[in-house]
Amino acid sequence: MDIREIQNLIKFVSKAEVSEVKYKTKDFEITIKTPLAGNEVAAVLPQQVYHTAAPVAAPVTPVAPVAQPIATESAAKTEETTNDDSKFVTIKSPMIGTFYRKPAPDKDAFVSVGDEVTEGKVVCVIEAMKLFNQIEAEVKGKIVKILVDDATPVEYDQPLFLVDPA
């Protein structure tokens, strides 16, 4: 398999919106994994509506005033969350991979909401390329919120936990 065939396979996987494709021949094997498209769109859509649609569409079309309160309401919720969360420290993902709260399916979660953590305590693992990387807390405090569901894909620098350092 040459580089063009690999590139065509990658394009096919992205257009098909599948999460994983494995291709294996007698002397070659390739696995292509992608995050699910639905999760990304849901995370990006409110920001797009707030920043572009509400200011531009309001004076132009009669339909926009109906959509504007939704954007304003969404923005108000975002601002409230930001103001409430500003006193907390965020533990972010240092890599792209799959987030796991437990070391194994039959084990207990590393941390839960309300648990005290210290610097260096393992709070989760992120699997990247079949390697499980332990993610440690960088601050001492109490877990206030877990921002990612178990066994879901995460991006580099994506917030995972909120910690109250008080």
Side-chain angles (χ1 to χ4, degrees), residues 88-91 101 110-118 121-124 136-147 160-166:
F88 303 129
V89 176
T90 305
I91 298 176
R101 292 187 57 205
F110 288 107
V111 294
S112 298
V113 173
D115 288 354
E116 293 288 329
V117 294
T118 57
K121 179 177 180 176
V122 176
V123 292
C124 66
E136 299 175 348
E138 299 170 353
V139 297
K140 180 180 176 183
K142 183 169 84 170
I143 300 289
V144 176
K145 193 172 189 180
I146 300 171
L147 304 169
L160 303 174
F161 299 93
L162 290 180
V163 179
D164 185 1

Side-chain angles (χ1 to χ4, degrees), residues 19 21 29-32 61 63 78 93 101 110 119 129 131 134:
S19 61
V21 171
E29 181 177 345
I30 186 169
T31 302
I32 301 173
T61 63
V63 178
T78 303
S93 175
R101 292 187 57 205
F110 288 107
E119 290 181 36
M129 298 175 61
L131 294 174
Q134 294 183 342

Side-chain angles (χ1 to χ4, degrees), residues 71-113:
T72 306
E73 191 176 299
S74 168
K77 287 181 183 177
T78 303
E79 287 178 20
E80 286 176 21
T81 304
T82 304
N83 290 340
D84 293 342
D85 297 344
S86 63
K87 61 184 175 186
F88 303 129
V89 176
T90 305
I91 298 176
K92 296 181 179 182
S93 175
M95 65 188 67
I96 295 173
T98 304
F99 171 86
Y100 293 103
R101 292 187 57 205
K102 304 174 186 178
D106 59 337
K107 303 287 183 183
D108 292 331
F110 288 107
V111 294
S112 298
V113 173

